[in-house]
Amino acid sequence: MLETLFHAYSPLVIWTGLGLLLFQYIPVNFPKLLSHFLFWIGIPLQILILVRQSDFSGAVGFTPAIALFVLFVSTSLAWLTWVLLRRLSAAHIKKPSFQGKNSLVNLFLFNFNSLKRSSQGSFILAAMLGNTGFVGLAITPFIISSDHNNWAVLYSVTNNVIGTYCFGVFIASYFGNSEKKNHWWTPLRDVLTVPALWAFLIGFFTRNIPLPETVESGLQAAVWAVIASALLLVGIRLRSIKKWESFELGLIPSLLKVVIMPVLIGLGASYFGLSGDPRLVLVLMSGTPTALTVLILAEVYELDRDLLASSIALTSVGLLLMLPLWLAGFS
């Protein structure tokens, strides 16, 4: 168990830590430039290579359905939780129900009521999108047999392409862009023009076209550069958090992401007769930490960066705590 966690989290600790250390020495515009590079070039390149190297003959039609179900349920839970908290905070301000002006509950509800539209988009994305590519695919080879790797790969591809770069871009575009009101077609336009979606299509339809070995090895090295750059951005954003109360708000989508959803998926998979590695893959992938790409979406569409960075930190710690329980209960 310790060896598994060590191998999975070594890159996360090293590159995120480097971002924390370099924060005060980098130009102010560097995080935004890095985010745009990852959005337009880095992540699409990773998806293209992953699709080209994947075999989709295993659980086709089933694993993507589970991934879509997780996206729908987590989004619905986040939306309902936000609406409930908004109503509770509004009622509390009109008629306080907790004693003490400086109580933690009073401060939380007061801060929640003052949040902007962009924070709602970040709240939903934090609970919805998981880091199936950078963390999920890094952990699964150590805890499942190679016969079931396709389950993890297909789940990750579905989550990244449909989750992050379709639903995620739609939500980010709808709630972001400096609070301005968008036309109804603006989020749809952003989804259709997202580069990762086209990278998936190109990779899927060129899987049978071989490339020179030197090109393949170069592309594989580029993937690791993309991963390192994304982790570096996380460290920079964690170091730049100014409103530490965002950790209080980030705790709610973090619980939805790494506690509630994996348990629901694990119990549901058991009910329908799944066991062993297939069930464990679905639990792990549904409970991966908040995706690093939400920070990229936050930069591109001007969402609440502090809330998303806090959620990434909290869910990463949450994974360390929950993984032994998943192994004991669902392996």
Side-chain angles (χ1 to χ4, degrees), residues 173-189:
S173 177
Y174 180 77
F175 288 101
N177 293 321
S178 299
E179 311 294 326
K180 68 181 181 181
K181 294 183 178 180
N182 294 321
H183 297 288
W184 66 267
W185 46 263
T186 302
L188 181 61
R189 179 205 63 192

Side-chain angles (χ1 to χ4, degrees), residues 139-158:
I139 294 178
T140 49
F142 297 99
I143 63 176
I144 65 171
S145 64
S146 58
D147 295 337
H148 296 94
N149 279 340
N150 281 343
W151 288 67
V153 171
L154 193 51
Y155 190 108
S156 179
V157 170
T158 304

